[in-house]
Every structure is written in structure tokens, then in C-alpha cells.
Amino acid sequence: KMACSADGTRLVSIDTRFEARVWDAAGGRPIATFPVPVGGFYPENAGVAIGGGGRLVAFASGGPGRAAAAIRD
């Protein structure tokens, strides 16, 4: 999963290891990496968004019987 900031300068991605990465879109290099909630969730159900000028990252996912969401600055 991937999302782009409104100004096009940052991308955020999430992989099957439940790691989120913020990327510098122009340089193609990661600038931040952090874990997102794990526990009975499926990567296919996950979603990510980026806002706040590329500073805020939101994550949400769900699985059987529970869901989780997180925002990171």
C-alpha cells in the first residue's frame, strides 16, 4: 500500500512486515521507518495516508474481531 502527500514531496508505504516508510519522492530515499500495529491483521486490509505537509502518517487495519488505527508525527 502507498499514499502520496498533497504537495507530492513525500510518499508513505506499508509492507507485509507491517513496517511503514516515509519516502522523499524526489530522491527516492526513505527518510523514516517505523512499525505499525500488528496482531491478527492482514496486510491486504491495511491502509495508509499522509498529510500535514508530509509530517503525519495514518494507518488503519482490521482482522477477525478487532481493528487498529495509529497516527504518527
Side-chain angles (χ1 to χ4, degrees), residues 7-42:
D7 65 5
T9 61
R10 300 283 186 259
L11 301 170
V12 63
S13 64
I14 183 171
D15 62 24
T16 57
R17 295 177 311 223
F18 288 93
E19 234 177 36
R21 281 194 178 83
V22 178
W23 300 82
D24 171 35
R29 295 187 181 133
I31 57 174
T33 302
F34 53 91
V36 293
V38 181
F41 303 128
Y42 303 108

Side-chain angles (χ1 to χ4, degrees), residues 45-72:
N45 293 346
V48 291
I50 188 166
R55 289 190 47 137
L56 298 175
V57 173
F59 163 83
S61 188
R66 77 181 213 126
I71 297 176
R72 176 124 180 194

